[in-house]
Amino acid sequence: MPEPTTTDNKERDSEEEDLAPGEQREMSEQSGMFVLRPESATAVKGKDVSFVAKVDSKAMLRKPSMKWLKGKWCDLGSKAGKHLAFKETYDRNTKIYTYEMSIIKVVDADAGNYRCEVTSKDKVDSCFFDITVEGRPRL
């Protein structure tokens, strides 16, 4: 009789238990934490543009963390300064965190796909948006 080629559920479960806490498989559960998601926008070169995300924290035990990313992996948090500004506020009455990313004096290199990702303990939610850059309007 030939041996079965599939693994049974017990073997698969034990493989998943070998993951360290906080690894991707545990955090892959999508949840609707966003109250307001950033929208795609067209920015004018040389002007400022801002994106706002709001997160409901009523069901969270601790403060969520927000990451702003360009493309798939480029974390913009380390690039804060003259060109990028990040702001975070909390409303105690509604228990909503407001996260804002501002691009100061948009340049052509700012065009592209962006993502904001919010994590809290074992939950993660992300949202994608695009920025297109136009030249200055002619008067």
Side-chain angles (χ1 to χ4, degrees):
M1 181 185 276
E3 291 187 31
T5 57
T6 60
T7 60
D8 63 356
N9 287 341
K10 289 180 185 176
E11 287 179 26
R12 262 188 258 135
D13 289 343
S14 67
E15 288 174 9
E16 290 179 6
E17 290 173 5
D18 293 339
L19 293 173
E23 283 191 7
Q24 188 62 32
R25 192 171 290 147
E26 282 186 19
M27 296 188 62
S28 64
E29 178 187 332
Q30 288 280 334
S31 62
M33 293 192 282
F34 283 105
V35 175
L36 177 69
R37 297 173 182 267
E39 301 284 329
S40 294
T42 300
V44 178
K45 195 186 309 186
K47 300 283 184 177
D48 298 351
V49 64
S50 294
F51 297 90
V52 176
K54 292 189 178 189
V55 176
D56 186 6
S57 66
K58 289 177 187 166
M60 296 178 198
L61 297 175
R62 62 177 113 160
K63 178 183 162 191
S65 64
M66 173 69 82
K67 279 188 185 179
W68 296 91
L69 304 139
K70 183 173 182 187
K72 287 187 177 183
W73 311 112
C74 183
D75 188 355
L76 298 174
S78 62
K79 300 186 185 317
K82 274 185 163 181
H83 187 62
L84 284 172
F86 300 97
K87 184 178 171 185
E88 175 184 317
T89 56
Y90 178 66
D91 184 352
R92 278 187 277 174
N93 297 325
T94 59
K95 295 187 178 181
I96 291 180
Y97 285 92
T98 303
Y99 299 94
E100 183 176 349
M101 176 182 75
S102 298
I103 302 175
I104 298 133
K105 296 187 179 175
V106 173
V107 296
D108 289 328
D110 293 324
N113 300 322
Y114 288 78
R115 177 168 58 111
C116 63
E117 181 179 277
V118 62
T119 56
S120 176
K121 202 167 178 176
D122 60 345
K123 294 181 182 179
V124 63
D125 197 3
S126 63
C127 157
F128 296 89
F129 59 98
D130 297 317
I131 299 175
T132 53
V133 178
E134 293 181 345
R136 291 188 181 267
R138 300 204 189 267
L139 298 176

